Amino acid sequence: CDLVAGVEGKSLSICGDIAGNPVGVPLLIGAGVRYLSMTPCRIPAVADAVASVTVPDCEQLLAEALACNVDQDVVALMGVFAAKHGIPTA
């Protein structure tokens, strides 16, 4: 994203397991992340996940995740979102 924490002109990229996880990527999109780094074998699945969602849906997912009290609830929420949008969970 081009606006991170109120600092215009700064970009943010994510590298690691969550960036290559099709189920986790919608949460990152909802947070405004637009640059992901992952192993090449994960690109097709992540690209399919990105194509199956909209930014407003991902922003709603983030809002719901931020309202959760425990991490298990966030994981469950991500699974429900993935199923709704046809994103494989395994």
Side-chain angles (χ1 to χ4, degrees):
C1 64
D2 293 327
L3 181 63
V4 176
V7 181
E8 193 170 339
K10 300 290 181 184
S11 62
L12 171 69
S13 62
I14 301 292
C15 178
D17 288 343
I18 191 75
N21 180 341
V23 176
V25 166
L27 200 59
L28 297 175
I29 292 171
V33 175
R34 301 295 181 263
Y35 303 100
L36 303 169
S37 177
M38 68 199 73
T39 59
C41 66
R42 294 193 175 253
I43 293 172
V46 170
D48 288 346
V50 170
S52 71
V53 299
T54 66
V55 171
D57 285 343
C58 293
E59 290 171 341
Q60 179 62 37
L61 172 65
L62 177 67
E64 293 174 19
L66 291 172
C68 291
N69 291 320
V70 295
D71 59 345
Q72 293 92 341
D73 291 345
V74 175
V75 171
L77 185 65
M78 290 167 48
V80 169
F81 184 89
K84 178 180 176 184
H85 293 277
I87 299 169
T89 57

